[in-house]
Amino acid sequence: MSPTAMTSADTTPVTPEESADPAGVPALPADLRILHVLTGTDGVVEEVAALAVARHLQAGYKVAVASDRRTFSALDLPVDDPRLVHLDIDVKTGPRPGDPGRAYALHRYYRHIDVVHAHGLHASAIAGLAMTGLPESLRPALVATVGRFQPRSPFAAADARVVARTAAVVLGTTEPVVEHFAEDVPVVSRARLLNPDVRTVYEPVRSRAQIREALGVRAGTFLVAVPLELVDHPALTTALEAAVRLSEHRPDRRWATVFTGAGRLRSVIASEFVPRRADIILADVVATVDVVAGSDIVVAGDRMSAIGPEGVMQLARPAIHLGAPRGARAWGDSAVHVDTDDTDGLLAAIAHLSDSPAARGASAIAAKRRVIDISGHGYLAGELLDVYAADALPNRR
């Protein structure tokens, strides 16, 4: 896509303060069509944003950046470039009392913009709120790059709902983020990153042999890790029933099922199951990462302790997701999905993976790529511009 597709060749510098329409609304250069909204420069999302802005300028585009002054200075952009406009709007990474005012400040510029690219969940939510009150014909297309977030957080959930309602394109830093928006946003795909979006690096303290020795698991035993939260919920009931039946279901193998979760039912498992079953083990919660890393199969679910879906994927373990269809979306094709109360299905899935080293290896590799896969070169300006032109503009909302 050429620079003239969105801008003209004129590079006469015009700042918002130098021109305004009769109603007092700040005006941008007539050929400036791309606005980036940034909250900082340090994260994996923001470092790609800085590269994108620089390459858009190099490609001959006029670009506006909405951020606070400190963030704009840290971008290390050519501030004397007449194609670059800074809008001093103090958007932060999390909710602030002044967010409605920040959204309104963006709103006043939107009639001059074709594409708004917001970097980060909260920046994207503010950019989405700024659409409020604009006629459909004047709304820019919103591209939102969204990093990892906790859907259970009320603030993050509220931001995500705004993004789902207003974005034309969501670029997610991990596959679980992509899956979260897949049903609600017209175009959802994986964002390219310079570094993976990993907040916690999960690394076992002990080797596979050491953790098995600590658990008392003999050589040749097939180890199934169950990091489910140990509270009264259907997935735990199904996992316990499967653990009890596993040796009878497949008597040709030696099995050990290790529960690692926290919860009030730890004492029940310790007193009612462990003393009677040599193949059921209760490990300390603090050993969860080691147990998962040393396992042959992980039975995961929608409620886990000490580790989440992305942690299991990061450790590259073959997994079975035991839970609701919506929770299964985070795993994609990297895990076998079994309904919460389907004990026979869980036993069949464990047996299938135990019989197929190739299936276990493929599952492990696919899982790790869902959270670790990165692009060594980051965004090329042309790639993002193609996203704007081919995906965002036709799907503006």
Side-chain angles (χ1 to χ4, degrees):
M1 183 176 179
S2 68
T4 55
M6 284 189 182
T7 68
S8 70
D10 179 26
T11 59
T12 304
V14 180
T15 63
E17 292 77 11
E18 291 172 345
S19 178
D21 69 12
V25 177
L28 295 175
D31 52 357
L32 193 156
R33 290 290 180 261
I34 304 170
L35 169 61
H36 290 270
V37 182
L38 285 173
T39 59
T41 58
D42 295 333
V44 297
V45 170
E46 290 80 8
E47 67 182 0
V48 173
L51 177 63
V53 174
R55 290 188 176 178
H56 288 163
L57 292 171
Q58 292 169 7
Y61 286 81
K62 286 189 175 182
V63 180
V65 175
S67 69
D68 63 31
R69 293 182 183 274
R70 179 178 297 180
T71 296
F72 184 71
S73 298
L75 291 174
D76 195 25
L77 296 171
V79 294
D80 57 346
D81 191 326
R83 293 166 298 191
L84 177 63
V85 176
H86 177 231
L87 307 180
D88 188 10
I89 301 174
D90 185 19
V91 181
K92 297 296 185 183
T93 55
R96 296 290 192 279
D99 281 346
R102 297 179 182 98
Y104 179 66
L106 285 172
H107 168 94
R108 297 199 301 166
Y109 292 106
Y110 274 8
R111 66 185 66 245
H112 306 288
I113 298 295
D114 286 334
V115 175
V116 176
H117 190 164
H119 302 269
L121 177 61
H122 191 60
S124 300
I126 295 298
L129 287 173
M131 301 280 193
T132 305
L134 274 179
E136 185 175 344
S137 61
L138 294 179
R139 291 179 187 172
L142 174 59
V143 177
T145 297
V146 179
R148 297 172 70 253
F149 68 95
Q150 292 293 335
R152 292 185 180 181
S153 162
F155 296 114
D159 282 348
R161 285 194 294 271
V162 174
V163 174
R165 188 175 67 249
T166 58
V169 177
V170 165
L171 304 175
T173 61
T174 68
E175 290 296 335
V177 175
V178 170
E179 295 293 344
H180 183 91
F181 293 98
E183 292 183 0
D184 301 314
V185 177
V187 179
V188 184
S189 64
R190 187 75 175 265
R192 291 180 182 265
L193 298 174
L194 297 173
N195 294 288
D197 188 12
V198 176
R199 294 176 186 169
T200 302
V201 177
Y202 290 92
E203 293 181 346
V205 175
R206 291 171 285 185
S207 69
R208 178 183 174 91
Q210 288 172 330
I211 189 60
R212 286 172 174 249
E213 181 180 358
L215 293 170
V217 176
R218 293 186 296 166
T221 300
F222 213 88
L223 194 154
V224 179
V226 185
L228 297 177
E229 189 177 359
L230 301 184
V231 297
D232 188 11
H233 62 103
L236 178 61
T237 301
T238 301
L240 280 167
E241 184 178 349
V244 170
R245 293 174 51 189
L246 192 53
S247 295
E248 294 180 1
H249 181 73
R250 286 296 301 269
D252 56 320
R253 291 188 183 277
R254 287 201 300 268
W255 298 95
T257 303
V258 184
F259 293 85
T260 67
R264 61 183 178 275
L265 293 187
R266 276 188 68 89
S267 60
V268 175
I269 294 173
S271 62
E272 299 296 328
F273 290 88
V274 174
R276 302 172 184 177
R277 304 285 309 213
D279 56 350
I280 295 180
I281 300 169
L282 184 63
D284 290 338
V285 178
V286 294
T288 296
V289 172
D290 282 352
V291 172
V292 169
S295 68
D296 296 292
I297 295 173
V298 179
V299 175
D302 301 330
R303 300 176 65 174
M304 294 195 287
S305 292
I307 196 168
E310 293 183 18
V312 175
M313 293 182 208
Q314 191 185 129
L315 290 170
R317 304 317 304 147
I320 299 168
H321 172 261
L322 180 64
R326 183 170 182 84
R329 286 167 49 185
W331 299 86
D333 295 332
S334 71
V336 179
H337 308 297
V338 177
D339 290 340
T340 306
D341 57 356
D342 186 0
T343 305
D344 289 338
L346 177 57
L347 288 168
I350 293 173
H352 167 70
L353 286 175
S354 71
D355 289 336
S356 176
R360 295 198 303 274
S363 173
I365 293 170
K368 192 163 188 176
R369 284 179 174 170
R370 287 179 73 80
V371 293
I372 297 296
D373 198 23
I374 62 172
S375 171
H377 65 271
Y379 278 116
L380 297 176
E383 287 181 281
L384 264 183
L385 294 172
D386 286 344
V387 169
Y388 299 163
D391 297 327
L393 289 172
N395 292 291
R396 69 174 80 198
R397 301 166 79 184

